[in-house]
Structures are given as structure tokens and as C-alpha cells.
Amino acid sequence: MAISSPGLGSNLDVNSIVSQLMALEQKPLTALAKKEAGYQAKISALGSLQSASSALQSAAASLVPASGSTAVQKFSVFKASVADPTIASATASSAAVAGTYSLEVTQIAKPHSIVSATGAASPFSGAGGTLAVGGTLTISLDSLGGSSPNRTTTVTIADGASPENVRDAINNAGAGVAAVVINGTAGKQLVLSSETAGSNQFVKLSGIAGLAYDPNAVPAPLTDPFAQTQAAQGATFKLNGIAVSAATNNVTTAIDGVTLNLLKGPEAPAVSLSTSVTISKDNASLSTGLSALVKAFNDFQTTANSLGSYDATTKKAGALNGDSTLRTAQANVRAALGTVPSELASASLQRLSDIGVTQQKDGKLLIDSSKLSAAITSDLTGVANLVAAYGKSFKEATDGLIGSSGLIAARNDGLSASIKSLGKQSEVISARLTQIEARYRRQFTALDTLMSGMTKTSTFLEQQLANLPSYNQGS
């Protein structure tokens, strides 16, 4: 079989010629790729704009009071502190009143604890130290002498259950009672304790004769399957000398808006432990929220300016230079900053500059902490209303930009559609280029073959002419 290669016989470089021609033919495809890269760069830039807008919206939304609440209520935050944090802890809500209270703890709440008997009275006196007969065990938690349990749970106990079986069944039931087995000198004993300390946490067991216990009944020594080791009790203390009692160590009713959590009571011979509780206004939420808004605004400005920039020296433009979506976003944010919200039309404080927030030459905001602090001290209501109003304005300005139906998403969708269209065009051009290259190769291969044949003919003729007898005119 003859071996052929383009240009082998004619010295015609077919591959090089076809490659150069195809480089020219591929220019439309290169232009489409460049155009697609530009669209992809815009999509990436819009992602940055979306992120900056979303951060600004979140910071602004955090300043808007919930429905039915006022700005003053939102920013009237109180903090509670206890001089000796080992005795108690405290938290305060907006309903609290600033002040200092003396706290004298005389008794903290304790959980109820019972333990199973040993010997013949043990509930586990069956074969191998098991419960003879099981059934449905009802566990309730109530006050001593109470008839309305605050919690009731039923647990299935199998016949012949071991102490460990009963322990696991109770712990898995979520009954508010913790069970543990202690293997002492008298054998295994089941200990049950209410998980919460308090006078309403007495444990009562019923439903299974071998596991019965009633804290209201007079215990019968040697026959009762359980004995009490710790009686449930509530907490007692004094606030500013006034006696207070509570069912548990978590006290919410002693002082409006204040929750006390008692941690430690007196140990003999002491009869009380004393400390103080201080409730004070905390303006941090207002200043912190405003600082977060300013930071988000400045970050938005930095991002937007970078995306829309143009460097005359390098002649390089930002990815969204001249883009209408960027211009709209910037216009919305500028309007929110420069327009006095309607809610503040008759207020004494109407602009952010009134509380120390001013715009710098570079367009970013700067907070004068001293002026802000003075404004909060002199007119908390006015500052709260102003901050909430501007929070609402910035939120509304960014609402239309972000989200699945926002302006940025719509622009992204349009660019994605354009990229898809370019992809289809590229497929058509690539298919056409394949045909063109094939045609070029056929044409130049034919030319190569023709030139190779002509070369052979020329060589043959030269050989024949060289073999002709020479003619001498002189002879």
C-alpha cells in the first residue's frame, strides 16, 4: 500500500497552510469567547454587588422594630449584674427598671431524691435481684400534697427487669427524673432524683406495686419499696429586706422584667448569703446596631465604586462600569441616606448627622462616638426613632435589589441567557469550521497530488531530452 502525506511529493506544506487559514476562519469564534468572558465577569461582579447589598439590607433590617413594637422599646435594653456571681445570676428585659437591690438568700431550691429499699423490702427481690412483675409505671412530679401534677409520664417496665433495665427505661422516657443504680454494701439500689430543683418536683410512682412511692403517704418502715433521701424544697430569699419565696431557683416574678437564678445558699452555721443585684440601661444595642449599618454602608460604597471605576492612566474599567443595575443600586442607597424619612418630618432629630454620623469626601460614613453618646443620653427616644427610620429607609432601598425577583437577579438572568445564546452560536460556527477545514484539506491535497504529478512529468521529460543524440552543425 502506498503511503501518502500532504506535501510529501510536492514539498507543499499543506498542514501549515490549512492551520493559517483556519486561524483566520476562527476569528468569529474567538470573538464570541471574548464576549462570553465579559458576560461571565459581569455575573461575578453582580455577585459582589448582591453580597454588599444583602449585608446592607441585613444591617438595616436589624434596626427596624418588630410589628407592634416601638423604636424605644426595641432599643431600651437593660443589663443585670450580681456583685457575687457565685450566689446568683440575673438577666433583664425591656420591662425592667434601673436600680440596685440587696439580695439575701436564705434557702435555695433542691430536687427530690428517693432510693430503693434493701433486703425483703427491695423492689428487686425477685430471682437474681430482679423485679418480679412489671407493667406500666406512671411517674408524676407535683407539690407536696398536690393533686395536679406539672408533669406525668408513663414507662413500660418488663417482667423480671433488673435495676439497670428500670434505670434505662426511666432515663429514656424523658420523665424529668434521673435514675442511677448504685451498687453498695447492701446490694444494688435504684436512686431517682427530679432533674429540676423545686418544691413542685416531688416524685410519685404508681402503677406497679413493686415500684410504688407516694411522698404524701406516711412511710411504712421495712415495707416501703422506696425511702426519701432528699425532700424537694423551694427557694427563700429577701430583696431589699422583703421576704420572697419561689418554687424553683429560677425566679421571674420577684422584680418586673428581671429573672433571678439562685446558685448557692447558706451552709451552717450561716443562715443567709448576701449580695446585690444592679439593673442598668445598656445603650450598646443602639450604638452597635448603628455601627453595623455604617460599616455595611461603607462596604457597599467600596464595592460599588470598585465595580464602576475607570482608570484613565491604565484605561481599565471596572466590571460594571456604565452598567444600569449598578447605577440604580447606587442611586437607591444615596436616596436613602439623603432623604429625611417621612416618620421624622416633625422630629427634632431628622438626619444622621444630627447624632454624629457624617459623610466624608470619599462618600463613606463616619461616627462621632462622643456626639452619638451625648444624643442618646439627652434624647434616647429621638435617637431611637431616627435610627429605626433610617434603618427602614435603607432596607426598602435594598429590598428591590436582592432576592430571587430583585433587580440584580433579573440582570443575572439576562446575562445567563446571553451566554446560552453565545454557546449555541459557537456550536454552529464550530460545526461550520470543521466542514471548512475538511474542504481546505481536500483542495490542497488535490493540489499537492497535481503538483506531485507535474513534477514527475517534468523530471521524465528532462531525462528524455538529455538522452536525445546531439546534433553537430559542423559535421
Side-chain angles (χ1 to χ4, degrees), residues 282-325:
D282 182 7
N283 296 323
S285 65
L286 183 53
S287 56
T288 299
L290 183 60
S291 295
L293 178 69
V294 168
K295 181 181 184 304
F297 177 91
N298 290 342
D299 290 345
F300 175 88
Q301 286 289 93
T302 298
T303 299
N305 290 340
S306 175
L307 295 175
S309 65
Y310 179 76
D311 189 328
T313 302
T314 61
K315 295 185 173 16
K316 288 185 178 181
L320 295 181
N321 178 266
D323 189 273
S324 61
T325 302

Side-chain angles (χ1 to χ4, degrees), residues 165-394:
N165 295 148
V166 176
R167 174 200 63 195
D168 294 343
I170 292 175
N171 288 338
N172 292 334
V177 174
V180 64
V181 174
I182 297 179
N183 192 5
T185 57
K188 293 182 179 179
Q189 291 179 268
L190 179 65
V191 180
L192 303 180
S193 302
S194 57
E195 293 179 346
T196 301
S199 58
N200 59 354
Q201 298 296 308
F202 279 93
V203 178
K204 181 180 180 180
L205 307 176
S206 60
I208 300 177
L211 295 177
Y213 177 79
D214 186 350
N216 300 302
V218 177
L222 303 179
T223 60
D224 208 7
F226 283 91
Q228 176 176 278
T229 56
Q230 168 65 57
Q233 68 179 34
T236 59
F237 56 97
K238 290 181 180 180
L239 279 171
N240 287 358
I242 300 173
V244 182
S245 63
T248 69
N249 289 320
N250 189 261
V251 186
T252 60
T253 57
I255 309 174
D256 287 343
V258 177
T259 297
L260 291 174
N261 186 30
L262 304 181
L263 303 174
K264 184 172 66 173
E267 295 183 5
V271 294
S272 66
L273 289 178
S274 298
T275 186
S276 61
V277 180
T278 301
I279 311 299
S280 58
K281 278 189 176 181
D282 182 7
N283 296 323
S285 65
L286 183 53
S287 56
T288 299
L290 183 60
S291 295
L293 178 69
V294 168
K295 181 181 184 304
F297 177 91
N298 290 342
D299 290 345
F300 175 88
Q301 286 289 93
T302 298
T303 299
N305 290 340
S306 175
L307 295 175
S309 65
Y310 179 76
D311 189 328
T313 302
T314 61
K315 295 185 173 16
K316 288 185 178 181
L320 295 181
N321 178 266
D323 189 273
S324 61
T325 302
L326 176 61
R327 290 199 302 269
T328 300
Q330 290 176 303
N332 288 357
V333 173
R334 281 197 298 267
L337 176 65
T339 305
V340 176
S342 58
E343 304 96 306
L344 304 176
S346 58
S348 58
L349 300 176
Q350 295 186 334
R351 295 187 176 278
L352 288 172
S353 57
D354 294 336
I355 60 172
V357 182
T358 55
Q359 192 167 26
Q360 308 303 294
K361 291 182 179 180
D362 60 1
K364 294 183 179 181
L365 299 178
L366 181 66
I367 299 178
D368 183 335
S369 299
S370 297
K371 186 173 182 179
L372 174 60
S373 180
I376 292 175
T377 301
S378 63
D379 187 4
L380 174 63
T381 299
V383 176
N385 288 337
L386 183 143
V387 170
Y390 275 93
K392 180 182 176 183
S393 294
F394 279 111

Side-chain angles (χ1 to χ4, degrees), residues 127-165:
T130 61
L131 183 69
V133 179
T136 299
L137 176 66
T138 299
I139 304 175
S140 62
L141 297 171
D142 202 349
S143 301
L144 191 64
S147 58
S148 300
N150 59 75
R151 188 169 184 174
T152 299
T153 308
T154 58
V155 184
T156 300
I157 305 296
D159 294 344
S162 66
E164 290 81 4
N165 295 148

